């Protein structure tokens, strides 16, 4: 729904601002207003790639000037037209409204909810500002300015009921109309920028959690990590915004969709707060229930009113959200099925080495980085490669990326290195862990850090002369891998390829790894090669029609058209070996 908000907010904000021109140019055709709106939207999305840090210094002055303008206009209208409107601050008039209007008052809630739109996107600013600063800004500046603006507009309408459709712009005094109009247009651009940035942030986190197809994420600022740009999403948002503006042209229908989107976001957030209060904050379940009941009741009133307008434009965010949710679910399901296949079809080290004499496996100079999702055993992709082309590098490092649900992973816990088999095999495993807000390094920096970590691992292993021999068995699977810590112990893997793999953790006294260190440096000078699977995931012939459609059609389409794993991970194509395989899940 927030992604849908990223389409509706720019469309609604810019179109409503541009329609203000018709206040002074009544003969202006709607087509020209739509054209101006489209030009502003194209310019807005075209400037996203430069990053908000380059123009962000203008945002605060524009918004501050905008708030001062509407509050000043509001004060003028209150004094000029109806000073008694200040009594509307009394909650008594809420009761009086519903008593006099009945059902019509309930229906009007769908429009009233537009008065609080934008609050749902404030979470995006938490990455750049503290909670206290946002609370002070909202309480001391934003809220008073909005109240004055709305009271001023109500005071004007009490004397000019015929101007109901264009009350905001008609309430602006003639002498300051054009300056306020320019500031209003600039403010809509800033508001649109905020929700676009929030959309980028959400999609980036979904991608890190394997709930969204691979996209290119560009960090536009070296100082502030949260400022990112996603080209594919940016242009898709622009196309959808233009379609909404050109297709509807009516701010009322877009407003119905906009209001429904915002109130659903707020209501879902309130429901999720129950889990946060109980599971994260460890508070009393009764307090969480009271919180959800109080706020949820108010939001349900607005939501029930907005749902009555589904046929009048409210269906737009519902359909779009359903499509996005389906894409995310199918991608996540296909990814899990692929990982499950690789986990259940991995090969044990003993089985691979037993093939050596029969197939004549040779070792060549250099380091081979094998990218795999398998955390224990040998991935089926590598076994397939060796049996088809019986040679691999002098030093092999099986690399597995883990994107955790924590924001960031500290540098000393980024790499978890372990050994596979005896020392003479020169086989290592490295788990590379990222938080969903961690920036990915370029390939050269990643290679340097990875090899340096392996070298330090071997040095620590060699220098650990005071360690006593200890052997323990530890089950390792996809879920328990997060518990692994970067110690200097050597892990020797054994056991079958299926199910849990038992790892014996062995510490040796005074191990001499000088030859291994020399081989590692020699292999590094010879060069690196990357190997990863290029898999085709297909549903079994006995699968249901729904599963065949989801895996073969939708997931296959997404996999072919999203960014390839090598591009997403920054692997240089000149050093890449791709192994094609077909998985039946």
């Amino acid at each position: 729904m927030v992604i849908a908000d990223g389409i509706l907010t720019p469309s609604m904000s810019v179109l409503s601002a541009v329609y203000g021109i018709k206040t002074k140019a009544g003969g202006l055709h709607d087509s020209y207003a739509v054209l101006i709106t489209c030009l502003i939207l194209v310019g807005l999305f075209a400037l996203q790639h430069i990053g908000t840090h380059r123009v962000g210094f203008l945002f605060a002055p524009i918004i501050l000037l905008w708030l001062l303008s509407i509050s000043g206009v509001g004060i003028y209208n209150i004094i000029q037209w109806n000073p008694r409107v200040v009594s509307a601050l009394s909650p008594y008039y809420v009761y009086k409204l519903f008593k006099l209007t009945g059902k019509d008052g309930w229906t009007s809630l769908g429009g009233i909810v537009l008065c609080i739109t934008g609050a749902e996107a404030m979470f995006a600013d938490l990455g750049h500002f503290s909670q206290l600063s946002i609370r002070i800004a909202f309480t001391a500046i934003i809220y008073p300015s909005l109240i004055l603006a709305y009271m001023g507009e109500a005071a004007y309408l009490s004397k000019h009921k015929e101007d109901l459709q264009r009350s905001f712009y008609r309430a602006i005094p003639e002498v300051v109309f054009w300056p306020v109009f320019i500031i209003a247009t600039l403010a809509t651009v800033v508001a649109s920028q905020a929700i676009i940035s929030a959309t980028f942030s959400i999609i980036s986190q979904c991608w890190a959690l394997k709930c969204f197809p691979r996209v290119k994420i560009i960090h536009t600022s070296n100082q502030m990590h949260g400022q990112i740009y996603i080209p594919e999403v940016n242009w898709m948002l622009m196309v959808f915004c233009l379609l909404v503006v050109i297709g509807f042209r009516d701010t009322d229908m877009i407003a119905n969709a906009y209001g429904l989107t915002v109130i659903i976001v707020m209501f879902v957030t309130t429901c999720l707060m129950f889990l946060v209060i109980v599971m994260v904050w460890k508070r009393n379940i009764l307090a969480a229930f009271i919180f959800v009941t109080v706020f949820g009741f108010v939001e349900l009133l607005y939501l029930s009113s907005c749902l009555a307008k589904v046929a009048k434009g409210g269906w737009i965010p519902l359909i779009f959200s359903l499509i996005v949710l389906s894409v995310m679910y199918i991608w996540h399901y296909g990814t899990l099925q692929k990982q499950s296949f690789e986990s259940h079809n991995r090969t044990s080290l003993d089985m691979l080495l037993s093939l050596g004499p029969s197939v004549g496996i040779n070792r060549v100079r250099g380091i081979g980085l094998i990218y795999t999702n398998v955390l224990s055993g040998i991935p089926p992709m590598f076994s397939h490669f060796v049996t088809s082309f019986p040679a691999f590098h002098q030093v092999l490092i099986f690399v597995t990326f883990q994107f955790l649900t924590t924001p960031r992973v500290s540098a000393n816990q980024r790499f978890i290195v372990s050994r596979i088999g005896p020392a003479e095999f020169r086989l290592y495993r490295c788990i590379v862990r990222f938080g969903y807000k961690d920036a990915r390094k370029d390939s050269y920096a990643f290679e340097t850090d990875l090899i340096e970590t392996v070298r330090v691992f071997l040095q620590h292993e060699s220098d650990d002369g005071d360690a006593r021999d200890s052997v323990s068995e530890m089950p390792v699977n996809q879920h328990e891998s997060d518990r692994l810590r970067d110690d200097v112990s050597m892990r020797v893997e054994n056991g079958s390829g299926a199910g849990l793999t038992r790892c014996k953790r062995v510490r040796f006294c005074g191990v001499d790894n000088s030859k291994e260190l020399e081989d590692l440096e020699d292999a590094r000078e010879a060069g690196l090669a990357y190997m990863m699977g290029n898999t085709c995931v297909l549903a079994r012939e006995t699968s249901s029609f729904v599963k065949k459609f989801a895996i073969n059609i939708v997931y296959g389409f997404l996999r072919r058209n999203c960014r390839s794993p090598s591009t997403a991970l920054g692997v240089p194509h000149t050093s890449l070996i791709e192994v094609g395989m077909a998985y039946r899940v």
Side-chain angles (χ1 to χ4, degrees):
M1 274 295 176
V2 178
I3 297 174
D5 199 358
I7 297 173
L8 295 172
T9 295
S11 304
M12 177 66 184
S13 301
V14 178
L15 183 61
S16 60
V18 173
Y19 267 157
I21 299 177
K22 299 185 67 175
T23 305
K24 296 301 180 183
L28 181 67
H29 196 273
D30 287 350
S31 299
Y32 291 104
V34 171
L35 177 61
I36 295 173
T37 301
C38 291
L39 292 176
I40 294 176
L41 288 173
V42 171
L44 171 65
F45 285 99
L47 292 176
Q48 291 299 314
H49 71 281
I50 68 175
T52 56
H53 69 287
R54 298 183 185 274
V55 293
F57 69 95
L58 296 173
F59 290 176
I62 289 174
I63 294 299
L64 185 59
L65 191 58
W66 163 246
L67 293 173
L68 293 177
S69 298
I70 61 175
S71 58
V73 171
I75 294 173
Y76 168 81
N77 286 323
I78 292 172
I79 298 174
Q80 178 71 19
W81 302 112
N82 190 357
R84 291 183 63 251
V85 76
V86 296
S87 61
L89 292 173
S90 171
Y92 165 74
Y93 289 97
V94 177
Y95 163 77
K96 189 174 181 180
L97 171 68
F98 288 109
K99 181 180 179 181
L100 294 176
T101 59
K103 182 180 179 181
D104 292 336
W106 168 75
T107 304
S108 67
L109 291 176
I112 294 174
V113 73
L114 296 176
C115 298
I116 56 174
T117 55
E120 80 285 354
M122 290 181 64
F123 76 93
D125 296 324
L126 289 175
H128 310 296
F129 303 98
S130 65
Q131 297 179 15
L132 180 62
S133 63
I134 291 180
R135 288 170 178 167
I136 293 175
F138 187 83
T139 306
I141 302 176
I142 299 174
Y143 183 74
S145 299
L146 293 178
I147 290 296
L148 290 173
Y150 287 131
M151 284 198 300
E153 195 171 343
Y156 176 85
L157 281 173
S158 67
K159 305 298 182 182
H160 305 83
K161 296 181 177 63
E162 70 279 1
D163 293 338
L164 182 61
Q165 296 300 320
R166 295 284 183 267
S167 59
F168 175 78
Y169 284 105
R170 293 192 183 278
I172 300 175
E174 185 74 23
V175 66
V176 296
F177 176 84
W178 290 110
V180 173
F181 172 78
I182 294 174
I183 296 172
T185 305
L186 293 175
T188 60
V189 172
V190 175
S192 301
Q193 177 66 50
I195 194 63
I196 292 171
S197 299
T199 304
F200 290 162
S201 176
I202 287 180
I203 291 179
S204 171
Q205 295 178 23
C206 290
W207 174 82
L209 299 175
K210 299 179 182 178
C211 294
F212 200 85
R214 291 179 295 271
V215 291
K216 182 179 182 180
I217 299 177
I218 301 174
H219 294 265
T220 58
S221 173
N222 294 326
Q223 289 76 32
M224 303 186 71
H225 177 78
Q227 296 183 358
I228 60 176
Y229 169 65
I230 305 177
E232 300 96 323
V233 176
N234 181 69
W235 300 121
M236 290 181 67
L237 287 178
M238 185 192 75
V239 170
F240 284 124
C241 284
L242 295 178
L243 290 176
V244 169
V245 171
I246 296 173
F248 290 93
R249 299 187 173 204
D250 184 7
T251 54
D252 291 337
M253 294 192 69
I254 301 177
N256 292 335
Y258 187 29
L260 180 62
T261 303
V262 170
I263 198 62
I264 289 180
V265 169
M266 291 184 175
F267 180 69
V268 172
T269 302
T270 299
C271 294
L272 292 177
M273 278 302 299
F274 181 87
L275 301 178
V276 173
I277 294 173
V278 174
M279 302 179 66
V280 180
W281 296 348
K282 307 297 183 183
R283 301 293 177 85
N284 190 290
I285 192 172
L286 179 61
F289 179 77
I290 294 174
F291 173 87
V292 173
T293 302
V294 173
F295 286 91
F297 175 76
V298 176
E299 291 165 351
L300 275 176
L301 287 177
Y302 286 97
L303 179 59
S304 62
S305 176
C306 291
L307 288 176
K309 299 181 179 180
V310 170
K312 300 178 180 179
W315 56 270
I316 303 173
L318 296 178
I319 295 297
F320 182 83
S321 298
L322 180 62
I323 294 174
V324 174
L325 179 63
S326 301
V327 168
M328 293 173 65
Y329 178 78
I330 291 175
W331 180 263
H332 185 64
Y333 176 77
T335 302
L336 291 183
Q337 290 295 312
K338 173 186 171 183
Q339 293 180 353
S340 176
F341 180 92
E342 292 178 342
S343 178
H344 287 86
N345 290 274
R346 60 179 183 258
T347 306
S348 67
L349 179 64
D350 295 337
M351 182 181 297
L352 178 67
L353 295 178
S354 66
L355 297 175
S358 60
V359 298
I361 294 179
N362 298 310
R363 304 294 289 268
V364 297
R365 290 188 64 204
I367 297 177
L369 301 182
I370 316 299
Y371 284 9
T372 175
N373 293 319
V374 177
L375 290 171
S376 59
I378 305 300
M381 170 266 299
F382 184 72
S383 303
H384 177 65
F385 172 80
V386 171
T387 53
S388 303
F389 189 81
F392 53 85
H393 290 83
Q394 173 185 359
V395 175
L396 281 185
I397 304 176
F398 292 88
V399 182
T400 300
F401 288 92
Q402 280 192 330
F403 299 97
L404 308 182
T405 55
T406 56
R408 291 182 176 84
V409 176
S410 59
N412 62 340
Q413 294 184 348
R414 174 83 64 207
F415 300 95
I416 300 178
V417 179
S418 59
R419 188 197 299 281
I420 302 177
E424 59 267 20
F425 291 166
R426 305 297 191 261
L427 302 179
Y428 310 96
R429 185 182 307 282
C430 181
I431 299 174
V432 186
R433 305 193 298 181
F434 288 101
Y436 57 78
K437 287 189 176 181
D438 280 325
R440 318 295 192 264
K441 295 184 178 181
D442 58 75
S443 60
Y444 178 78
F446 174 75
E447 293 169 4
T448 303
D449 291 347
L450 177 60
I451 298 174
E452 179 64 21
T453 303
V454 175
R455 187 185 65 80
V456 172
F457 167 79
L458 294 175
Q459 284 184 337
H460 284 174
E461 189 179 71
S462 178
D463 296 339
D464 193 12
D466 296 331
R468 293 177 298 178
D469 294 347
S470 63
V471 180
S472 63
E473 291 192 346
M474 177 179 59
V476 178
N477 61 20
Q478 193 78 10
H479 300 289
E480 294 174 337
S481 60
D482 291 348
R483 296 191 229 162
L484 297 175
R485 289 296 179 266
D486 190 9
D487 54 23
V488 296
S489 63
M490 179 177 71
R491 300 170 176 87
V492 182
E493 296 189 6
N494 59 13
S496 63
L500 295 177
T501 299
R502 297 274 178 184
C503 295
K504 290 186 177 180
R505 176 163 38 187
V506 185
R507 291 195 176 188
F508 296 95
C509 298
V511 179
D512 185 9
N513 290 334
S514 57
K515 185 64 170 66
E516 275 192 273
L517 291 170
E518 292 177 5
D519 289 346
L520 178 65
E521 188 62 30
D522 179 67
R524 181 178 186 176
E525 293 177 357
L528 279 82
Y530 299 81
M531 181 184 298
M532 59 177 52
N534 186 355
T535 58
C536 178
V537 181
L538 300 171
R540 294 187 179 93
E541 294 295 334
T542 57
S543 300
S544 64
F545 172 79
V546 175
K547 184 174 182 179
K548 288 181 179 179
F549 177 79
I551 296 295
N552 297 349
I553 306 299
V554 181
Y555 182 78
F557 175 82
L558 295 174
R559 187 188 62 82
R560 290 190 301 269
N561 290 278
C562 71
R563 297 180 66 83
S564 65
S566 59
T567 304
L569 296 174
V571 176
H573 290 284
T574 55
S575 305
L576 176 63
I577 302 171
E578 287 188 315
V579 182
M581 291 192 70
Y583 292 167
R584 292 281 180 178
V585 297

